[in-house]
Amino acid sequence: MVQRFRRRTRRRVVAIAAVGTMLAAWFGPAAPVQAADTNLIVNGGFEEGLGNWFVNNGNATDSATLSLTADAYAGSSAVLVTNRATTGSGPMQDLSGKVQAGQTYALTARIKYENPNSPATKQFYATMHYGGGTYTNLVSVVATRGQWAQFNGSFTIPSGQNVSTARLFFETPWTSNPSSDPNVHLMDFKLDDVTVVGAAPPPTPSKTIEVVGKLPGEHNPLIGHKFGADGFGFAHDGRVYLYLTNDTQGYAPNPTTGVSPQINYGNINQITLLSSADLVNWTDHGEIQVAGPNGVAPFTGNSWAPGMAKKVVNGQEKFFLYYANGGGSSNVITGASPLGPWTSERTSTLIDGRTPGAEAVAWKFDPAPMVDDDGEAYLYFGGGPASTSMPAAERFNNPKNLRAIKLGSDMVSTEGTAAVVDAPVAFEAAQVFKREGKYYLSYSSHFGGNDFGGNQTPLPGYPGGGQIGYMISDDPMSWPKETYAGVLFPNQSQFFGAGTGGNNHQSVFEYEGRYYFTYHAPTLNKRINGNTTQGYRSPHIQELTFNPDGTIQQVVGTYAGVDQVRDFDPYREFEAETFGWSKGVATAKVNGGSPEFGGTAPNLVVSDIDNGDWTALSSVDFGNGAHSVTAKVRPLVAGGKIELRLGEVTAPVVATIPVDAPLGEWTELSAQLDGVAGVHDVYFTYAGPAGADLFEIDTWRFEAGAEVPVTVTAQARCVAGKAYVAVQARNDHNAPVSIALETAYGQRSVANVAPGGNAYQQFNSRTASVAAGAATVRATGSVNGEDVTTVVTAQYPAVDCAN
């Protein structure tokens, strides 16, 4: 199978003929259109309202109003642009994923302005914004006041241009102070009949990760089917919710090499949400569209580094999701539950340059809330370069770039002035939790450099680059440098090796009396591409332990992760996108609410299921035995099937569900289990025609049944230089049973094993060694007058008889 795996400074490119620009023709006829060419603009005539169009928001100061007008060049509608705040606020359409480097495109459009106080003629540009401060003018026209003018030209995108972000907008020439003469720079204008014609968009790269990114038996990274960073853990009503920066949003692996371009944080405007009741099996709740034109808070452009809190406000329990709007500000949206639905109670950002006490903070981001026992709430934020007014050594050791501020009782406003957090060698990611009356603030340390005073010597005991330090205080608003307590977590590369370094972002949460530490590392990215990673990060959790004096024992990052806090309960309808481990699948949102979490929660399904893919659950407790398994599936091709295995992905099949329902229709299909009992890792393996998506799965449900009690042991041993697997099953029933023993090296059936008796077989591998594996035993007998079969597995270790 093919592997599929700021404050910002505006830099407008205006020297059209200079090296590095992409303009091929200012005026003149457009390039000839070939039969295979496609118009990449959607609703270019505004006949479908303002769909697909929005105001350019490249900078925080950009704003304008778009409305429809009947004064169209053609058809019934055009767009009217009014109330521009800058000469970068014009109407925009997102062409990301449509335009391609090295291709030539023909651009046409009609534009008109009518302000009698404006110049008789005015130049307009069609401009592409490639993210950050990169703006490139494409085609220009000089319009005459009161007359429709036509853009008509072509442009070639340089072969080396990064087009992961490509947003086209229309504007007058950029000037830094347009309000000095608004009649010249900020006149209202109309736009109609926009086309960009050229090569058809490339196929959307598959984001499906085909490798096993989370190895069976390991609990880190938490998931293997997508990425996520800056995890913020939040415990509520028996579950842990983990809110993540959606690193998957820009993941676009090359279909041939499986390697994606480097992560582009400027594209991320969604928050990924997972939850778990046991910290090993995680349910994927998909993405929250927080920012951007279609976001909950469309006045923000990005959503990074989330933080979550709950509080009863005016008698109603609410949930507050805070996030970084790029580097320049932070914001909050409100949910009716940890899963939403989400609304915005604000129309502007919560933390920005207007926040008292935050004026000197370079990066007003990474907001982390903390609600105290008395109901008072606080927000911790900030980061970035230290003030240049400070001495160089102080800029390095005590950059004073983090802040603490009280939140209003509504949780969507602030009170008073932000206080300085004097965290040693601080960079970003301040987060606070409370334990036994003490407040703990953890943060990420910087890597030095000119932003932090150049080549400086850290003070003794201060953290090194890219580590997580922490402080302990008696006051949530008081964090002098004397409260520094040490390094909580070294850089993740110390534990996960080459390709996993870089900055980190952490949180600490309490769950059922234990404390846990979240962090990220590009471990899944590494398993896809080897030691060279592209910055796509994955969530991890380790348990946090304390010394008698309240200080924290330094965390060690491991693939093993945390212990599963409880066995998984299968006797209910639960989401199929709940994974302990997986291979080759993806998830997708579908209409309607969640069968497990309610009608207001999003519903996802397991998708992109190919022959050989699988999903698994860790430590499923079947108790006295399961009678059947039911899947809600939507077949996509004929001939698919689901096989259930216990213990490992290659274990014998204990049940098969033929997916033989009508194609395209959601159907519940079941299979008998013959009394699978006890605690097992459960693997759902998928088979069907090669090269086709087989089906989608919405939910699983198991039904309990009777069991035949049996005790099973398995061992690997050496006899005369050969490796054997010995399996024994004891009949614990009060009547005779038939027992079948199965391994990868053979099987044996024994009839009528008496109560208390044993069935035994030593299977010869005919080799000098065997790998660790599992034996499967089926015990069949009569329970309450019915024939019942119980399936039990037993693990055996590897053995090498040659040594």
Side-chain angles (χ1 to χ4, degrees), residues 475-500:
D475 184 340
M477 287 290 290
S478 178
W479 301 97
K481 61 185 178 183
E482 290 76 16
T483 60
Y484 175 70
V487 172
L488 191 163
F489 183 65
N491 190 265
Q492 63 275 10
S493 61
Q494 177 174 321
F495 309 112
F496 301 110
T500 65

PDB file of all heavy atoms in Angstrom, residues 475-500:
ATOM      1  N   ASP A 475       0.759  32.481  46.907  1.00  0.00           N
ATOM      2  CA  ASP A 475      -0.158  33.478  46.362  1.00  0.00           C
ATOM      3  C   ASP A 475      -0.228  33.306  44.846  1.00  0.00           C
ATOM      4  O   ASP A 475       0.813  33.348  44.174  1.00  0.00           O
ATOM      5  CB  ASP A 475       0.350  34.886  46.711  1.00  0.00           C
ATOM      6  CG  ASP A 475      -0.596  36.000  46.280  1.00  0.00           C
ATOM      7  OD1 ASP A 475      -1.445  35.764  45.398  1.00  0.00           O
ATOM      8  OD2 ASP A 475      -0.458  37.120  46.805  1.00  0.00           O
ATOM      9  N   PRO A 476      -1.422  33.114  44.272  1.00  0.00           N
ATOM     10  CA  PRO A 476      -1.506  32.875  42.819  1.00  0.00           C
ATOM     11  C   PRO A 476      -1.094  34.069  41.975  1.00  0.00           C
ATOM     12  O   PRO A 476      -0.891  33.917  40.765  1.00  0.00           O
ATOM     13  CB  PRO A 476      -2.983  32.540  42.613  1.00  0.00           C
ATOM     14  CG  PRO A 476      -3.690  33.173  43.756  1.00  0.00           C
ATOM     15  CD  PRO A 476      -2.741  33.083  44.912  1.00  0.00           C
ATOM     16  N   MET A 477      -0.954  35.262  42.598  1.00  0.00           N
ATOM     17  CA  MET A 477      -0.555  36.451  41.843  1.00  0.00           C
ATOM     18  C   MET A 477       0.873  36.890  42.151  1.00  0.00           C
ATOM     19  O   MET A 477       1.333  37.896  41.606  1.00  0.00           O
ATOM     20  CB  MET A 477      -1.514  37.604  42.153  1.00  0.00           C
ATOM     21  CG  MET A 477      -2.890  37.457  41.531  1.00  0.00           C
ATOM     22  SD  MET A 477      -2.884  37.639  39.728  1.00  0.00           S
ATOM     23  CE  MET A 477      -2.518  39.390  39.576  1.00  0.00           C
ATOM     24  N   SER A 478       1.579  36.158  42.992  1.00  0.00           N
ATOM     25  CA  SER A 478       2.929  36.566  43.404  1.00  0.00           C
ATOM     26  C   SER A 478       3.943  35.505  43.035  1.00  0.00           C
ATOM     27  O   SER A 478       3.944  34.399  43.608  1.00  0.00           O
ATOM     28  CB  SER A 478       2.956  36.821  44.915  1.00  0.00           C
ATOM     29  OG  SER A 478       4.260  37.177  45.331  1.00  0.00           O
ATOM     30  N   TRP A 479       4.828  35.839  42.073  1.00  0.00           N
ATOM     31  CA  TRP A 479       5.811  34.884  41.574  1.00  0.00           C
ATOM     32  C   TRP A 479       7.187  35.533  41.450  1.00  0.00           C
ATOM     33  O   TRP A 479       7.732  35.694  40.357  1.00  0.00           O
ATOM     34  CB  TRP A 479       5.367  34.306  40.235  1.00  0.00           C
ATOM     35  CG  TRP A 479       4.045  33.617  40.329  1.00  0.00           C
ATOM     36  CD1 TRP A 479       2.827  34.127  40.026  1.00  0.00           C
ATOM     37  CD2 TRP A 479       3.816  32.274  40.787  1.00  0.00           C
ATOM     38  NE1 TRP A 479       1.842  33.200  40.253  1.00  0.00           N
ATOM     39  CE2 TRP A 479       2.412  32.053  40.715  1.00  0.00           C
ATOM     40  CE3 TRP A 479       4.644  31.255  41.237  1.00  0.00           C
ATOM     41  CZ2 TRP A 479       1.833  30.849  41.091  1.00  0.00           C
ATOM     42  CZ3 TRP A 479       4.066  30.046  41.605  1.00  0.00           C
ATOM     43  CH2 TRP A 479       2.688  29.841  41.544  1.00  0.00           C
ATOM     44  N   PRO A 480       7.808  35.934  42.590  1.00  0.00           N
ATOM     45  CA  PRO A 480       9.184  36.431  42.523  1.00  0.00           C
ATOM     46  C   PRO A 480      10.145  35.297  42.191  1.00  0.00           C
ATOM     47  O   PRO A 480       9.805  34.106  42.334  1.00  0.00           O
ATOM     48  CB  PRO A 480       9.421  36.973  43.930  1.00  0.00           C
ATOM     49  CG  PRO A 480       8.513  36.167  44.802  1.00  0.00           C
ATOM     50  CD  PRO A 480       7.283  35.920  43.969  1.00  0.00           C
ATOM     51  N   LYS A 481      11.337  35.649  41.759  1.00  0.00           N
ATOM     52  CA  LYS A 481      12.306  34.627  41.344  1.00  0.00           C
ATOM     53  C   LYS A 481      12.678  33.693  42.486  1.00  0.00           C
ATOM     54  O   LYS A 481      13.110  32.556  42.254  1.00  0.00           O
ATOM     55  CB  LYS A 481      13.549  35.291  40.776  1.00  0.00           C
ATOM     56  CG  LYS A 481      14.295  36.200  41.758  1.00  0.00           C
ATOM     57  CD  LYS A 481      15.446  36.907  41.075  1.00  0.00           C
ATOM     58  CE  LYS A 481      16.177  37.864  42.028  1.00  0.00           C
ATOM     59  NZ  LYS A 481      17.261  38.606  41.335  1.00  0.00           N
ATOM     60  N   GLU A 482      12.480  34.147  43.736  1.00  0.00           N
ATOM     61  CA  GLU A 482      12.821  33.303  44.886  1.00  0.00           C
ATOM     62  C   GLU A 482      11.903  32.093  45.013  1.00  0.00           C
ATOM     63  O   GLU A 482      12.212  31.151  45.762  1.00  0.00           O
ATOM     64  CB  GLU A 482      12.765  34.132  46.170  1.00  0.00           C
ATOM     65  CG  GLU A 482      13.866  35.164  46.315  1.00  0.00           C
ATOM     66  CD  GLU A 482      13.645  36.399  45.452  1.00  0.00           C
ATOM     67  OE1 GLU A 482      12.497  36.595  44.966  1.00  0.00           O
ATOM     68  OE2 GLU A 482      14.609  37.166  45.246  1.00  0.00           O
ATOM     69  N   THR A 483      10.762  32.098  44.302  1.00  0.00           N
ATOM     70  CA  THR A 483       9.856  30.948  44.371  1.00  0.00           C
ATOM     71  C   THR A 483      10.252  29.846  43.382  1.00  0.00           C
ATOM     72  O   THR A 483       9.595  28.794  43.339  1.00  0.00           O
ATOM     73  CB  THR A 483       8.402  31.380  44.082  1.00  0.00           C
ATOM     74  OG1 THR A 483       8.317  31.953  42.777  1.00  0.00           O
ATOM     75  CG2 THR A 483       7.927  32.394  45.120  1.00  0.00           C
ATOM     76  N   TYR A 484      11.305  30.067  42.606  1.00  0.00           N
ATOM     77  CA  TYR A 484      11.769  29.036  41.673  1.00  0.00           C
ATOM     78  C   TYR A 484      12.184  27.789  42.447  1.00  0.00           C
ATOM     79  O   TYR A 484      12.885  27.865  43.459  1.00  0.00           O
ATOM     80  CB  TYR A 484      12.946  29.566  40.854  1.00  0.00           C
ATOM     81  CG  TYR A 484      13.576  28.529  39.952  1.00  0.00           C
ATOM     82  CD1 TYR A 484      12.905  28.055  38.827  1.00  0.00           C
ATOM     83  CD2 TYR A 484      14.839  28.023  40.225  1.00  0.00           C
ATOM     84  CE1 TYR A 484      13.487  27.109  38.005  1.00  0.00           C
ATOM     85  CE2 TYR A 484      15.432  27.077  39.399  1.00  0.00           C
ATOM     86  CZ  TYR A 484      14.751  26.621  38.292  1.00  0.00           C
ATOM     87  OH  TYR A 484      15.322  25.673  37.481  1.00  0.00           O
ATOM     88  N   ALA A 485      11.733  26.598  41.964  1.00  0.00           N
ATOM     89  CA  ALA A 485      11.974  25.355  42.696  1.00  0.00           C
ATOM     90  C   ALA A 485      12.807  24.341  41.923  1.00  0.00           C
ATOM     91  O   ALA A 485      13.232  23.346  42.508  1.00  0.00           O
ATOM     92  CB  ALA A 485      10.642  24.723  43.093  1.00  0.00           C
ATOM     93  N   GLY A 486      13.026  24.546  40.614  1.00  0.00           N
ATOM     94  CA  GLY A 486      13.866  23.608  39.882  1.00  0.00           C
ATOM     95  C   GLY A 486      13.299  23.243  38.531  1.00  0.00           C
ATOM     96  O   GLY A 486      12.351  23.850  38.034  1.00  0.00           O
ATOM     97  N   VAL A 487      13.900  22.214  37.927  1.00  0.00           N
ATOM     98  CA  VAL A 487      13.475  21.710  36.619  1.00  0.00           C
ATOM     99  C   VAL A 487      12.501  20.566  36.842  1.00  0.00           C
ATOM    100  O   VAL A 487      12.814  19.580  37.507  1.00  0.00           O
ATOM    101  CB  VAL A 487      14.683  21.244  35.784  1.00  0.00           C
ATOM    102  CG1 VAL A 487      14.217  20.534  34.514  1.00  0.00           C
ATOM    103  CG2 VAL A 487      15.565  22.434  35.430  1.00  0.00           C
ATOM    104  N   LEU A 488      11.320  20.702  36.283  1.00  0.00           N
ATOM    105  CA  LEU A 488      10.304  19.661  36.371  1.00  0.00           C
ATOM    106  C   LEU A 488      10.525  18.587  35.308  1.00  0.00           C
ATOM    107  O   LEU A 488      10.347  17.402  35.561  1.00  0.00           O
ATOM    108  CB  LEU A 488       8.931  20.311  36.211  1.00  0.00           C
ATOM    109  CG  LEU A 488       7.661  19.531  36.510  1.00  0.00           C
ATOM    110  CD1 LEU A 488       6.496  20.501  36.692  1.00  0.00           C
ATOM    111  CD2 LEU A 488       7.313  18.541  35.411  1.00  0.00           C
ATOM    112  N   PHE A 489      10.932  19.028  34.103  1.00  0.00           N
ATOM    113  CA  PHE A 489      11.044  18.101  32.976  1.00  0.00           C
ATOM    114  C   PHE A 489      12.166  18.562  32.058  1.00  0.00           C
ATOM    115  O   PHE A 489      12.129  19.688  31.556  1.00  0.00           O
ATOM    116  CB  PHE A 489       9.717  18.068  32.209  1.00  0.00           C
ATOM    117  CG  PHE A 489       9.669  17.100  31.054  1.00  0.00           C
ATOM    118  CD1 PHE A 489       9.747  15.736  31.261  1.00  0.00           C
ATOM    119  CD2 PHE A 489       9.511  17.559  29.745  1.00  0.00           C
ATOM    120  CE1 PHE A 489       9.673  14.855  30.190  1.00  0.00           C
ATOM    121  CE2 PHE A 489       9.441  16.685  28.670  1.00  0.00           C
ATOM    122  CZ  PHE A 489       9.521  15.322  28.897  1.00  0.00           C
ATOM    123  N   PRO A 490      13.187  17.731  31.832  1.00  0.00           N
ATOM    124  CA  PRO A 490      14.227  18.106  30.869  1.00  0.00           C
ATOM    125  C   PRO A 490      13.651  18.131  29.456  1.00  0.00           C
ATOM    126  O   PRO A 490      12.496  17.779  29.225  1.00  0.00           O
ATOM    127  CB  PRO A 490      15.261  16.986  31.018  1.00  0.00           C
ATOM    128  CG  PRO A 490      14.922  16.300  32.307  1.00  0.00           C
ATOM    129  CD  PRO A 490      13.444  16.457  32.484  1.00  0.00           C
ATOM    130  N   ASN A 491      14.473  18.533  28.490  1.00  0.00           N
ATOM    131  CA  ASN A 491      13.991  18.539  27.115  1.00  0.00           C
ATOM    132  C   ASN A 491      13.649  17.121  26.672  1.00  0.00           C
ATOM    133  O   ASN A 491      14.352  16.159  26.991  1.00  0.00           O
ATOM    134  CB  ASN A 491      15.040  19.141  26.187  1.00  0.00           C
ATOM    135  CG  ASN A 491      14.484  19.381  24.800  1.00  0.00           C
ATOM    136  OD1 ASN A 491      14.638  18.553  23.909  1.00  0.00           O
ATOM    137  ND2 ASN A 491      13.818  20.509  24.629  1.00  0.00           N
ATOM    138  N   GLN A 492      12.573  16.992  25.906  1.00  0.00           N
ATOM    139  CA  GLN A 492      12.082  15.683  25.497  1.00  0.00           C
ATOM    140  C   GLN A 492      13.082  14.895  24.664  1.00  0.00           C
ATOM    141  O   GLN A 492      13.029  13.657  24.626  1.00  0.00           O
ATOM    142  CB  GLN A 492      10.762  15.831  24.734  1.00  0.00           C
ATOM    143  CG  GLN A 492      10.848  16.608  23.438  1.00  0.00           C
ATOM    144  CD  GLN A 492      10.744  18.118  23.644  1.00  0.00           C
ATOM    145  OE1 GLN A 492      10.785  18.596  24.777  1.00  0.00           O
ATOM    146  NE2 GLN A 492      10.613  18.863  22.569  1.00  0.00           N
ATOM    147  N   SER A 493      13.997  15.578  24.004  1.00  0.00           N
ATOM    148  CA  SER A 493      14.992  14.869  23.196  1.00  0.00           C
ATOM    149  C   SER A 493      15.895  14.001  24.058  1.00  0.00           C
ATOM    150  O   SER A 493      16.502  13.055  23.560  1.00  0.00           O
ATOM    151  CB  SER A 493      15.836  15.869  22.394  1.00  0.00           C
ATOM    152  OG  SER A 493      16.531  16.750  23.255  1.00  0.00           O
ATOM    153  N   GLN A 494      15.993  14.308  25.348  1.00  0.00           N
ATOM    154  CA  GLN A 494      16.788  13.483  26.261  1.00  0.00           C
ATOM    155  C   GLN A 494      16.214  12.073  26.359  1.00  0.00           C
ATOM    156  O   GLN A 494      16.933  11.116  26.628  1.00  0.00           O
ATOM    157  CB  GLN A 494      16.818  14.138  27.643  1.00  0.00           C
ATOM    158  CG  GLN A 494      17.563  13.341  28.704  1.00  0.00           C
ATOM    159  CD  GLN A 494      17.684  14.104  30.001  1.00  0.00           C
ATOM    160  OE1 GLN A 494      17.897  15.310  30.015  1.00  0.00           O
ATOM    161  NE2 GLN A 494      17.550  13.387  31.114  1.00  0.00           N
ATOM    162  N   PHE A 495      14.907  11.937  26.124  1.00  0.00           N
ATOM    163  CA  PHE A 495      14.241  10.652  26.287  1.00  0.00           C
ATOM    164  C   PHE A 495      13.891   9.985  24.959  1.00  0.00           C
ATOM    165  O   PHE A 495      13.853   8.757  24.874  1.00  0.00           O
ATOM    166  CB  PHE A 495      12.961  10.836  27.104  1.00  0.00           C
ATOM    167  CG  PHE A 495      13.179  11.580  28.390  1.00  0.00           C
ATOM    168  CD1 PHE A 495      12.650  12.849  28.570  1.00  0.00           C
ATOM    169  CD2 PHE A 495      13.934  11.032  29.409  1.00  0.00           C
ATOM    170  CE1 PHE A 495      12.849  13.541  29.748  1.00  0.00           C
ATOM    171  CE2 PHE A 495      14.149  11.719  30.593  1.00  0.00           C
ATOM    172  CZ  PHE A 495      13.611  12.983  30.765  1.00  0.00           C
ATOM    173  N   PHE A 496      13.631  10.790  23.913  1.00  0.00           N
ATOM    174  CA  PHE A 496      13.127  10.222  22.666  1.00  0.00           C
ATOM    175  C   PHE A 496      14.108  10.359  21.499  1.00  0.00           C
ATOM    176  O   PHE A 496      13.795   9.940  20.390  1.00  0.00           O
ATOM    177  CB  PHE A 496      11.780  10.856  22.316  1.00  0.00           C
ATOM    178  CG  PHE A 496      10.743  10.653  23.384  1.00  0.00           C
ATOM    179  CD1 PHE A 496      10.305  11.720  24.161  1.00  0.00           C
ATOM    180  CD2 PHE A 496      10.228   9.398  23.648  1.00  0.00           C
ATOM    181  CE1 PHE A 496       9.365  11.539  25.160  1.00  0.00           C
ATOM    182  CE2 PHE A 496       9.286   9.200  24.641  1.00  0.00           C
ATOM    183  CZ  PHE A 496       8.848  10.270  25.401  1.00  0.00           C
ATOM    184  N   GLY A 497      15.269  10.979  21.734  1.00  0.00           N
ATOM    185  CA  GLY A 497      16.347  10.920  20.780  1.00  0.00           C
ATOM    186  C   GLY A 497      16.275  11.894  19.633  1.00  0.00           C
ATOM    187  O   GLY A 497      15.538  12.886  19.659  1.00  0.00           O
ATOM    188  N   ALA A 498      17.058  11.597  18.601  1.00  0.00           N
ATOM    189  CA  ALA A 498      17.236  12.487  17.468  1.00  0.00           C
ATOM    190  C   ALA A 498      15.906  12.841  16.826  1.00  0.00           C
ATOM    191  O   ALA A 498      15.020  12.003  16.677  1.00  0.00           O
ATOM    192  CB  ALA A 498      18.146  11.834  16.432  1.00  0.00           C
ATOM    193  N   GLY A 499      15.770  14.127  16.459  1.00  0.00           N
ATOM    194  CA  GLY A 499      14.584  14.595  15.772  1.00  0.00           C
ATOM    195  C   GLY A 499      13.442  15.004  16.665  1.00  0.00           C
ATOM    196  O   GLY A 499      12.409  15.451  16.180  1.00  0.00           O
ATOM    197  N   THR A 500      13.594  14.864  17.999  1.00  0.00           N
ATOM    198  CA  THR A 500      12.466  15.149  18.896  1.00  0.00           C
ATOM    199  C   THR A 500      12.701  16.375  19.765  1.00  0.00           C
ATOM    200  O   THR A 500      11.934  16.626  20.693  1.00  0.00           O
ATOM    201  CB  THR A 500      12.175  13.943  19.808  1.00  0.00           C
ATOM    202  OG1 THR A 500      13.290  13.716  20.686  1.00  0.00           O
ATOM    203  CG2 THR A 500      11.909  12.698  18.984  1.00  0.00           C
TER     204      THR A 500
END
